[in-house]
Amino acid sequence: MTTTSPGPAGALGEAGPHRRTPADRDAALRARRITARVVVGVLLAAYALVSAYPFLWMVSAAFKNQVEVVRGGHLIPHQPTLHTLTHTWSQLHFLRYFVNSVEVTAMTVVLTLAVYAAAGYAFAVLDFPGRKALQRLFVALLFVPGVTVMLPIVLVEDKLHLLGTHIGLVLPFVNGGAPLSILLMTGAFTAVPRELRESARVDGANEFHIFTRIYLPLTRPALITVALLTAIPTWNEYLLSRVSLNSPNTFTLPLGLQTLASENVPHYNELMAGALIVVVPVLLLFVALQRYFVNGLVGAVKG
Amino acid sequence: MTTTPRTATTAVAGRPGTGRPAAQPATRTARRRGHEALSGYLFVAPAVVLFAVMGLYTVGYGLVLSFAQWNGFAPNWDWVGLQNYKDLLWANPEYAPEVRDAALHTLWVMIAVPLLTVAVSFPLAVLLNSARRMQPLLRSIYFVPYVTSGIAVFFAWQYILQPDGAINVLLKSVGLGSLSQPQGWLGNPHTALPTMIAVTVWGAVPVGMLMYLTGLQSVDRSVLEAAQLDGAGWWRTNASVVWPLVRPITSIVVLLNLRDSLQGFQTFLVMTNGGPGNHTNVLGLEAYRLAFLKQLAPTLGLASALGWLLFAAALVLALINLRVLRSRT
């Protein structure tokens, strides 16, 4: 993304920089260009503020004590305190919820990568009857609405004795991620030169070896993108967890957070501290991997 | 890893560089094809099995259930045929009016959210595309709503929208106190739905912006230069040249947001639970309530039927969108 073409906004400068013009016209042009830049900068900064606004207040409240949060007012706490965060973490079972969330998210990501990298490989590289039809079926899944399948999932899992377990969350999550994961992986595998596969075959490698030793290492950015695109919604998932988990021991972070909100008068400092605990890990993950993420997404949109 | 296909392809390896079939003897080609097909099935097997149980089976189960009356506890289903669909659409005086209200709210969301998302994300992408140096940082900040989307950030919104919350304080401090909402933005029946729309748009902009950004960066530079040579300014170039070029992206953004507006309800469940007085009840939330909050009332079939109506509506939208997209390109 760093080598992007200047794009349409190069138009801001009107005439190119190389054109020789009288000095006063040059100066006027430069002034206009600077004004345009300032306007663009202000607008971009303004939307950055809009984007981050609720998050800023979340952080603010998490460092306030009960008295100050009720008074409202300033974004910067007058007497910043860590007590709210530590209290929320230790008194309210957040460690338990945190471990559960990590478990559910990790299982979902690993299974998603395993199942859909293999499927993507088959769709991109292998030729078999029914391939196109199957591929279309998976993409069509994109249109099956969550609310339509939620109730049957709960009823079916009840039959299979999966209700209330973490596996019972992981399986529908993995299945729900199928369209996008398959789309991304198929795209990435298609871009790998076929000659690599042919020469590996000649050297006696079987299909599984070609897949794990050649294709997977070469498509690491796509794998990371799929992992992030799976991890973020799974970490934040709330609805299916809410209707399928019933014991606080199995609660994930969003459900733990819900218990804070359902008190008669929510203590907003504790609620926001809890929200911060939910948000920070996934935010850190995003910041660490965002380079791959955006490029991978861009690749998906182009593909 | 669940697949370990042991189909050795060594037996069929032809001469180096032979590549695709045709050049090989017919029997070898056939055998190689057979192996490849088998490997193909083995590689997709886990995905297919999972889909069969979690997708096809559950969806089929839901469809069957939509023709029955059941409370989730009774041993048997009562078959009612199409009655659930009729009840939802007009027949049942208890549910039909509620569904109609929810449909109206959903319609507002479906009109406003895609429009506003496009109206914010396209200009934002154009501006961001011109900010060369700050682009990576800004792009990350703009993505915060996507990364944090979920219950945590909805509670944060609730917090700043409450009567003495940050939004009201902000309005008063810039002299717009008359606009502040003493019952909170979600407590006033007139502002609740527009506020929910704003929050939804806020969450939808990151993906829209990124899609437009991608589109902008693949626009041919020479086309823009030609426009400028013809005397088109910045506005004109973007409005008459760039905007038509990214129309396929607009179509995707609109479709995704239409679908989410039609079926999504998590924000509504967490932030308003349909209130005040059902003023922010939407169809997805109504289906959820029928499915999970009616306790012993036999509404599971109704919930399923409503889910299927939403599904059908989404399909129709997708087809229309496809038509429009095709006729324009």
Side-chain angles (χ1 to χ4, degrees):
Chain A
M1 291 294 268
T2 43
T3 57
T4 56
S5 63
L12 277 177
E14 302 280 69
H18 302 301
R19 189 176 294 179
R20 289 257 156 257
T21 43
D24 54 334
R25 232 191 105 188
D26 226 29
L29 216 65
R30 198 172 304 137
R32 253 185 82 183
R33 202 178 301 169
I34 290 171
T35 321
R37 262 211 196 136
V38 169
V39 171
V40 169
V42 167
L43 288 173
L44 287 173
Y47 201 79
L49 189 65
V50 171
S51 267
Y53 198 65
F55 180 70
L56 293 176
W57 281 95
M58 184 196 292
V59 176
S60 157
F63 288 98
K64 286 175 179 170
N65 58 35
Q66 187 59 36
V67 180
E68 198 181 341
V69 89
V70 169
R71 259 185 307 159
H74 294 278
L75 184 63
I76 312 289
H78 285 306
Q79 295 161 311
T81 168
L82 272 176
H83 177 258
T84 309
L85 266 170
T86 53
H87 172 81
T88 307
W89 176 262
S90 56
Q91 303 288 299
L92 301 160
H93 312 293
F94 265 65
L95 179 61
R96 176 85 291 216
Y97 307 145
F98 189 86
V99 171
N100 288 338
S101 271
V102 169
E103 188 185 307
V104 169
T105 307
M107 281 200 291
T108 306
V109 169
V110 169
L111 259 181
T112 299
L113 288 179
V115 172
Y116 299 123
Y121 180 75
F123 288 135
V125 176
L126 301 171
D127 195 19
F128 56 95
R131 178 177 77 150
K132 275 271 163 292
L134 212 56
Q135 201 173 355
R136 272 196 210 116
L137 187 67
F138 275 112
V139 174
L141 255 182
L142 210 56
F143 293 100
V144 178
V147 65
T148 308
V149 286
M150 214 161 93
L151 176 62
I153 281 179
V154 169
L155 296 174
V156 167
E157 289 202 333
D158 194 25
K159 278 188 180 174
L160 300 173
H161 302 290
L162 287 173
L163 204 61
T165 68
H166 287 164
I167 283 285
L169 286 181
V170 168
L171 293 181
F173 290 171
V174 172
N175 185 58
L180 195 58
S181 311
I182 289 180
L183 220 61
L184 282 166
M185 289 320 302
T186 309
F189 288 137
T190 309
V192 175
R194 284 198 82 92
E195 291 76 23
L196 286 176
R197 177 161 176 269
E198 297 298 335
S199 62
R201 260 152 145 358
V202 172
D203 291 344
N206 67 30
E207 208 66 64
F208 185 65
H209 282 142
I210 297 175
F211 171 57
T212 51
R213 306 230 176 113
I214 299 178
Y215 277 77
L216 286 185
L218 281 175
T219 50
R220 213 176 51 164
L223 290 168
I224 293 175
T225 307
V226 172
L228 257 184
L229 280 177
T230 310
I232 293 173
T234 306
W235 184 267
N236 290 325
E237 206 282 338
Y238 170 66
L239 286 171
L240 189 62
S241 318
R242 168 163 164 168
V243 296
S244 66
L245 299 180
N246 39 34
S247 146
N249 273 329
T250 59
F251 277 10
T252 52
L253 278 172
L255 290 188
L257 194 57
Q258 171 64 49
T259 59
L260 284 186
S262 51
E263 290 160 24
N264 282 342
V265 184
H267 296 253
Y268 269 110
N269 57 338
E270 285 175 12
L271 188 59
M272 291 301 108
L276 197 61
I277 294 170
V278 177
V279 161
V280 161
V282 75
L283 213 54
L284 290 179
L285 194 71
F286 173 74
V287 170
L289 298 176
Q290 76 111 358
R291 199 157 47 95
Y292 298 99
F293 179 69
V294 172
N295 289 347
L297 264 190
V298 165
V301 175
K302 273 182 183 161
Chain B
M1 191 65 69
T2 35
T3 47
T4 49
R6 289 260 166 253
T7 47
T9 46
T10 45
V12 288
R15 280 176 294 118
T18 315
R20 302 259 74 195
Q24 291 175 339
T27 48
R28 276 197 171 185
T29 312
R31 252 171 80 194
R32 180 175 163 172
R33 274 222 189 116
H35 275 293
E36 197 173 308
L38 185 60
S39 321
Y41 291 128
L42 285 171
F43 272 89
V44 292
V48 170
V49 170
L50 189 62
F51 173 62
V53 179
M54 284 295 144
L56 288 182
Y57 182 59
T58 49
V59 168
Y61 192 95
L63 183 61
V64 175
L65 180 58
S66 77
F67 301 115
Q69 209 173 55
W70 193 39
N71 64 9
F73 301 97
N76 291 313
W77 296 5
D78 295 323
W79 290 100
V80 293
L82 288 174
Q83 192 59 43
N84 283 331
Y85 292 90
K86 287 184 197 163
D87 277 350
L88 287 170
L89 292 173
W90 70 84
N92 188 315
E94 189 183 344
Y95 298 118
E98 213 171 287
V99 169
R100 216 169 303 146
D101 278 351
L104 189 65
H105 300 146
T106 308
L107 190 65
W108 277 117
V109 177
M110 285 171 68
I111 293 169
V113 168
L115 268 180
L116 291 172
T117 303
V118 168
V120 175
S121 26
F122 177 68
L124 193 65
V126 169
L127 292 179
L128 187 61
N129 198 30
S130 69
R132 224 70 50 74
R133 246 177 313 162
M134 295 296 279
Q135 207 191 83
L137 176 68
L138 284 171
R139 219 172 41 192
S140 294
I141 298 176
Y142 293 159
F143 240 74
V144 166
Y146 175 80
V147 179
T148 59
S149 89
I151 171 169
V153 87
F154 300 147
F155 283 139
W157 271 107
Q158 213 179 31
Y159 170 55
I160 63 178
L161 289 166
Q162 59 168 344
D164 50 2
I167 303 277
N168 274 346
V169 172
L170 180 75
L171 285 174
K172 278 173 194 150
S173 71
V174 295
L176 291 169
S178 57
L179 287 178
S180 69
Q181 296 296 322
Q183 312 120 291
W185 288 81
L186 300 173
N188 179 345
H190 297 294
T191 57
L193 192 61
T195 306
M196 291 306 293
I197 288 171
V199 173
T200 309
V201 171
W202 175 85
V205 163
V207 171
M209 180 271 301
L210 188 67
M211 287 174 125
Y212 276 121
L213 198 59
T214 316
L216 292 178
Q217 289 175 352
S218 61
V219 166
D220 195 350
R221 183 98 186 94
S222 61
V223 176
L224 302 173
E225 273 158 9
Q228 280 157 42
L229 279 182
D230 288 346
W234 185 79
W235 280 109
R236 192 65 201 273
T237 312
N238 281 310
S240 314
V241 181
V242 180
W243 173 246
L245 281 176
V246 296
R247 191 169 276 158
I249 295 180
T250 305
S251 175
I252 298 172
V253 173
V254 167
L255 177 63
L256 286 180
N257 281 296
L258 273 178
R259 195 198 57 171
D260 291 349
S261 308
L262 180 64
Q263 297 157 351
F265 64 97
Q266 177 168 296
T267 328
F268 291 79
L269 177 71
V270 174
M271 285 178 65
T272 63
N273 198 11
N278 263 353
H279 275 90
T280 59
N281 193 21
V282 286
L283 288 173
L285 184 57
E286 182 70 23
Y288 174 86
R289 286 172 164 178
L290 288 171
F292 297 106
L293 301 179
K294 295 285 183 191
Q295 304 300 331
L296 284 170
T299 54
L300 293 193
L302 274 175
S304 241
L306 185 48
W308 274 89
L309 288 175
L310 290 172
F311 187 15
L315 275 183
V316 170
L317 284 176
L319 290 178
I320 293 174
N321 199 276
L322 212 65
R323 248 309 138 73
V324 173
L325 184 63
R326 239 183 234 156
S327 68
R328 293 245 172 102
T329 46

